Amino acid sequence: MARFRTAVKASSAVTSPAVPDDVRPELAELRIRAAATLDAARPDAIARRRRTNQRTARENVSDLVDPDSFAEYGGLALAAQRARLTQDQLIAQSPADGLVAGTATIGGTRAMVLAYDYTVFAGTQGGMSHKKLDRMLALAAEHALPVVLFAEGGGGRPNDTDMPLVAGLDTTSFRAFAALGGLAPRIGIVSGRCFAGNAALLGLCDVVIATEDSSIGMGGPAMIEGGGLGTFSPEEVGPIDMQVKSGVVDVRVRDEAEGVAVAKRYLGFFTQAAATWACADQGALRGMIPPERRRAYKVRPLIEALVDTGSLLELRRDFGLAAVTALARIEGRPVGIVANSSQHLGGALDSDASDKLARFMALCDAFGLPIVSLCDTPGFMVGPKAEATGLVRHASRLFAVAASLRVPYFTVVLRRGYGLGAQAMAGGHFHAGAFTISWPTGEFGAMGLEGAVRLSLRKQLEALPDDAARDALVAEAVGVAYERGKAISMASYLELDGVIDPADTRAWIVRGMTAVGPVPRSRRFVDTW
């Protein structure tokens, strides 16, 4: 596919290309119709995109795919409105029926590209575009093609009067797109307004990449007002700040260009190893855990130092803040990273963090990525407020997902490994994965040491005369418990596979991946949440 170019002109009329006199009439007609689908034929529509600082659907496709690799399907489709518009009007107003679709290669990888065109009836989904979409999804399923979806626009188009239907509830596209889950990666990119049918497709994607100007919702302003729920602007319905915190958006980007770049990076994790790589001095890991046992620290610099330089791609950063989920590479090989963040709830796993971890683990498992778990947690969050979120079910989801994992699972305890939360971070228990090792800073117990001591010494503490005496007894007992629960002691009871120098962590992971080998691929279910 030649790189698409745009030309902004004063008129919205379709300009026919010059056709040599010796070209047969049918070929001349084809050239005229094909030219009408391109951006250069629609200057007014392109000008509107420029006013919102957005690119056209075709520009986004061109930026995404390898040069000359795009084969467009259904480019001559017109909206199913022949009863109300002339053919010339349809050619001018509904190129490709608002869905640019086709096969291509992206970084050498075969892929399917679907791009809704907001300049065509506000990106709504017409009868012909649904027919086209179903054709493309069938091909994607048959050939296990990754799908990149540019989702911008609304839902069903009410003006497609040529279609003999009442409500269109037998539309097969959403189930067909859902059926691709676990077969090949599905990447959603959204800029601008994405509501109803477009949002339903977006929510089925394995990763959602959204720009700063995005607004995403299952119902747009018209649907909300029609339901008697008030009047809102599109930007109020589901703005980017809301949707990154809610967990709908995985990666927040500045604009469509960055969104496309992230999509290419994401796809690369599931298709190929990197030929070259570099990493930070691993000796730096030795000083990244604070000497004060209960002091919080930033775990992301630690992860960045551990993995290949520049390879980290974090997902859902602003959701489930007690956990970190990211794709990365180690010696060029793609892995999934899960970690606790002591800066939020001390790294305790609440409902959101549990959901975030479980879904990411399932995603890695579906596409054969080994999982590296960096554990530093006091356990699952406790208390009435946490339980009101349905924590019992959310926490248990981690064990349910872990029990079905086929990919290698490597656990490295950085500091705290307490209770059920630590077991969940280790894939269910400390002997569940390919290995469970600890840095020398590791400390372990069935629950937090201070809490366990106070619970076991309750009667003795109540019998003491003052707080000073009680504090002294607690400090002494915690010291004893720490000695018993420190990493070296755990390893001596074979509850750990080893205690290592932090600088050797990468080497352990590489040896682990080599030892277990590749995982056979078969389709796996990946939940949307």
Side-chain angles (χ1 to χ4, degrees), residues 267-339:
L267 184 59
F269 285 110
F270 300 99
T271 57
Q272 57 197 349
T276 60
W277 53 270
C279 68
D281 177 9
Q282 295 300 286
L285 294 173
R286 296 173 178 143
M288 290 193 168
I289 302 299
E292 302 86 359
R293 291 178 45 244
R294 304 185 68 178
R295 179 181 164 193
Y297 62 94
K298 295 180 180 179
V299 75
R300 289 177 179 84
L302 186 153
I303 299 172
E304 290 170 352
L306 175 65
V307 303
D308 292 355
T309 302
S311 71
L312 192 69
L313 177 60
E314 186 173 352
L315 306 182
R316 281 177 149 181
R317 180 175 182 132
D318 296 312
F319 170 73
L321 301 180
V324 175
T325 53
L327 300 170
R329 296 181 187 272
I330 294 180
E331 292 198 359
R333 286 185 266 188
V335 298
I337 303 286
V338 296

Side-chain angles (χ1 to χ4, degrees), residues 356-375:
K356 176 179 177 177
L357 290 167
R359 200 267 181 167
F360 181 77
M361 288 159 56
L363 181 67
C364 291
D365 186 63
F367 300 114
L369 296 192
I371 299 172
V372 177
S373 174
L374 304 177
C375 175

Side-chain angles (χ1 to χ4, degrees), residues 344-510:
H344 184 77
L345 302 177
L349 298 175
D350 59 1
S351 288
D352 285 350
S354 298
D355 287 343
K356 176 179 177 177
L357 290 167
R359 200 267 181 167
F360 181 77
M361 288 159 56
L363 181 67
C364 291
D365 186 63
F367 300 114
L369 296 192
I371 299 172
V372 177
S373 174
L374 304 177
C375 175
D376 181 0
T377 182
F380 286 110
M381 192 62 190
V382 296
K385 185 176 180 181
E387 300 301 349
T389 66
L391 179 62
V392 170
R393 290 284 193 174
H394 295 281
S396 296
R397 187 178 179 208
L398 273 171
F399 291 100
V401 170
S404 68
L405 293 177
R406 304 160 306 162
V407 294
Y409 197 98
F410 309 113
T411 302
V412 182
V413 181
L414 306 179
R415 185 170 61 178
R416 293 164 302 169
Y418 290 125
L420 289 168
Q423 287 186 242
M425 289 298 298
H429 60 78
F430 272 28
H431 288 165
F435 65 66
T436 300
I437 57 178
S438 177
W439 288 4
T441 44
E443 55 182 78
F444 304 86
M447 61 182 293
L449 295 183
E450 285 78 4
V453 164
R454 291 187 180 276
L455 188 63
S456 64
L457 296 178
R458 178 180 295 173
K459 291 185 178 179
Q460 295 93 316
L461 292 171
E462 290 174 350
L464 292 175
D466 53 48
D467 289 342
R470 285 187 280 272
D471 290 343
L473 179 58
V474 168
E476 179 183 358
V478 166
V480 172
Y482 174 73
E483 283 298 315
R484 178 175 173 78
K486 67 182 183 181
I488 291 177
S489 176
M490 278 279 287
S492 73
Y493 283 90
L494 295 181
E495 293 188 51
L496 288 171
D497 294 313
V499 181
I500 68 165
D501 181 339
D504 293 335
T505 306
R506 274 176 65 96
W508 263 83
I509 296 169
V510 170

